[in-house]
Amino acid sequence: MERLNQILTEVSGLLWGWPMIILLLGTHVYLTIILRFPQRKIFTAIRLSVKRDATATGDVSQFGSLATALAATIGTGNIIGVATAIALGGPGAVLWCWLTGVFGISTKYAEGLLAIKYRVKTKHGKMIGGPMYALEYGLGWKWLAVLFAVFTALASFGIGNTVQANAIATVAHETYNIDPVVTGAVVCLLTGAVVLGGVKSIARVCGLLVPFMAFFYVLGCIYILCVNAPYLWPALKLIVLSAFQPDAAGGGFVGSTVMMAARYGIARGLFSNESGMGSAPIVAAAAQTRNPVRQALVSSSGTFWDTVVICAMTGLVIVSSVLAYPDIDFSNGATLTKAAFSKIPVVGTPLLTFGLLTFAFSTILGWCYYGERAVEYLRGRRWVICYRVAYIAAVFLGSVTGLSLVWNLADCMNALMAIPNLLSLLFLSGVIVHETRKYLWRGQLDREMGN
């Protein structure tokens, strides 16, 4: 097992190395240019995300779709992952992470558009779609569509399930001394109560949980930034300067380079917002929307909230705390966040604990839907119940076992998901531009598909 884990670690390092970063970031920039900077429409996207389009075809509201995607996307990576990027790449990694989110809005837009364009209606009247359908019906690459679905199903048990369950159990044990077996049983029951109800149940719970958890986390970060107010402007300057001049960081940050800051910041940003991975369009396909561009805009707002807002605020909290409390050890990303938040009286530790617990649980719910659709594509609807039972059981197993091997396997599966999805985005970019011109550039966002 140790040898297998070592091999997976090496493979993961290769898959998430510079070639993948260049491919992902290159796709972000390319789509941003050919789509004429859809980031300009972010406030329109936010407005559409909370506007119900009940007369349109779909299974859940646009907000329900977005909330489910955000539930799967906003996870422990937004908190611990940002700290890891800072520890390895210096404060400048925060800026690169933020820029990746800004450009990733275009990719998430394109994914949402293709999800609606190529979605299909099952004999049970449900709308299903995602990169596997774009690959099969848009490009005729059935074999690659199957591979994507296989990678998605496997990834759902890793980064979407056992890794998150283990994070919940670890936090509960370290903070409140709760036995992981007890935590695993409770989380297992809560997961079963939600996911057995299908997409509408998942979307309903995520629609309540995501705004609640994000609001309190952001509110807590604002409070911490107010406490650290004297260090806020120096932290902003440090983040910007050290992204291009690593010596500007000084102190313990010496040793980081521009390349390291860019590498870890970009990699964490890409991993955090999942733009290009192909997961979010799976649930976007179920949205009630009158045309592909409306849902594309709604989907793009997910990257804005995930990286441009939450990851950026987490980065500011950590860097300003490091400046305010020089005794914080920022060489270890796993403990940096906890150390930074614990310095804040009263709300610091409870805020971090609440964020980690709710973010991890919401990720479990969102990824269950992704895995379901992948299994349905591969084996049909009759296998979905079997998948749900296995998924719920995996929550308990993840809570009580070590996950080094599973984590490395999940990293590999996520990278392997991204490759076919990015190919579909690049090869179908003409379709994306055509649909954007038809509905967005001509000012016809209210136009129904087929009219």
Side-chain angles (χ1 to χ4, degrees):
M1 292 298 289
E2 288 184 9
R3 178 56 181 163
L4 177 59
N5 191 37
Q6 182 181 356
I7 292 173
L8 287 174
T9 301
E10 294 174 358
V11 172
S12 176
L14 290 173
L15 288 173
W16 283 105
W18 276 110
M20 174 62 76
I21 290 174
I22 292 171
L23 177 61
L24 274 163
L25 191 59
T27 302
H28 288 354
V29 175
Y30 171 70
L31 290 173
T32 295
I33 293 172
I34 67 170
L35 293 172
R36 302 179 186 176
F37 292 83
Q39 293 88 343
R40 297 179 294 111
K41 300 291 184 180
I42 191 62
F43 292 109
T44 300
I46 294 172
R47 176 177 58 83
L48 289 174
S49 68
V50 295
K51 184 178 180 181
R52 191 170 184 82
D53 201 0
T55 60
T57 304
D59 300 327
V60 297
S61 67
Q62 289 179 313
F63 179 76
S65 169
L66 174 64
T68 304
L70 280 174
T73 304
I74 300 177
T76 54
N78 295 77
I79 302 176
I80 304 299
V82 174
T84 302
I86 294 171
L88 297 174
V94 177
L95 179 64
W96 289 108
C97 180
W98 185 81
L99 288 174
T100 301
V102 172
F103 284 102
I105 289 173
S106 298
T107 301
K108 193 63 72 73
Y109 169 93
E111 290 177 322
L113 189 152
L114 293 181
I116 299 298
K117 176 70 176 178
Y118 294 107
R119 69 180 179 178
V120 298
K121 191 173 185 177
T122 69
K123 62 181 180 180
H124 299 96
K126 302 293 183 182
M127 286 293 186
I128 55 176
M132 51 276 203
Y133 293 91
L135 286 164
E136 180 178 355
Y137 298 114
L139 294 170
W141 296 350
K142 173 76 173 179
W143 63 276
L144 198 55
V146 170
L147 285 177
F148 175 85
V150 170
F151 297 144
T152 302
L154 292 174
S156 71
F157 283 100
I159 195 65
N161 184 321
T162 50
V163 169
Q164 305 298 329
N166 188 264
I168 293 174
T170 300
V171 170
H173 179 68
E174 291 181 353
T175 308
Y176 303 108
N177 200 30
I178 300 175
D179 192 323
V181 173
V182 175
T183 303
V186 172
V187 177
C188 188
L189 290 172
L190 290 174
T191 302
V194 178
V195 303
L196 290 176
V199 62
K200 291 185 177 180
S201 175
I202 294 173
R204 184 166 55 250
V205 173
C206 290
L208 295 173
L209 182 61
V210 168
F212 176 78
M213 70 182 192
F215 173 77
F216 279 99
Y217 181 75
V218 170
L219 196 65
C221 285
I222 292 173
Y223 170 79
I224 293 175
L225 292 175
C226 289
V227 173
N228 292 346
Y231 301 92
L232 184 56
W233 179 245
L236 282 168
K237 288 175 61 178
L238 182 60
I239 288 170
V240 174
L241 289 176
S242 60
F244 305 101
Q245 301 175 19
D247 290 341
F253 288 117
V254 172
S256 63
T257 66
V258 172
M259 292 295 287
M260 289 172 65
R263 176 184 175 184
Y264 290 109
I266 292 171
R268 180 46 51 197
L270 295 172
F271 192 79
S272 172
N273 61 52
E274 297 183 11
S275 293
M277 191 180 296
S279 51
I282 296 175
V283 70
Q288 296 170 338
T289 186
R290 63 186 69 184
N291 63 61
V293 169
R294 288 176 71 94
Q295 182 54 38
L297 288 169
V298 171
S299 295
S300 71
S301 67
T303 298
F304 172 80
W305 293 120
D306 176 85
T307 307
V308 179
V309 176
I310 293 180
C311 283
M313 295 195 75
T314 301
L316 274 174
V317 165
I318 292 173
V319 176
S320 64
S321 295
V322 168
L323 294 178
Y325 308 98
D327 61 315
I328 292 178
D329 178 15
F330 42 79
S331 62
N332 187 340
T335 60
L336 175 56
T337 306
K338 184 176 181 180
F341 277 75
S342 65
K343 291 292 185 179
I344 308 303
V346 184
V347 302
T349 299
L351 170 65
L352 180 61
T353 302
F354 172 79
L356 286 171
L357 292 176
T358 54
F359 285 8
F361 181 65
S362 69
T363 300
I364 292 173
L365 299 182
W367 267 92
C368 181
Y369 182 76
Y370 297 160
E372 281 186 19
R373 296 288 75 80
V375 169
E376 184 172 356
Y377 178 82
L378 292 168
R379 303 295 297 173
R381 185 177 175 82
R382 64 185 180 278
W383 284 85
V384 170
I385 293 297
C386 297
Y387 169 83
R388 289 176 183 170
V389 172
Y391 193 86
I392 294 168
V395 171
F396 182 79
L397 293 176
S399 301
V400 298
T401 58
L403 293 172
S404 178
L405 179 67
V406 175
W407 182 269
N408 285 322
L409 179 62
D411 279 348
C412 293
M413 292 302 104
N414 287 342
L416 292 172
M417 283 175 62
I419 294 171
N421 178 61
L422 291 171
L423 289 175
S424 71
L425 293 173
L426 293 172
F427 282 93
L428 292 172
S429 59
V431 174
I432 297 168
V433 170
H434 173 77
E435 295 294 316
T436 302
R437 179 184 298 111
K438 180 178 178 181
Y439 296 105
L440 183 60
W441 297 345
R442 293 176 180 172
Q444 300 189 63
L445 275 178
D446 292 331
R447 180 177 174 181
E448 297 280 352
M449 282 186 291
N451 294 335

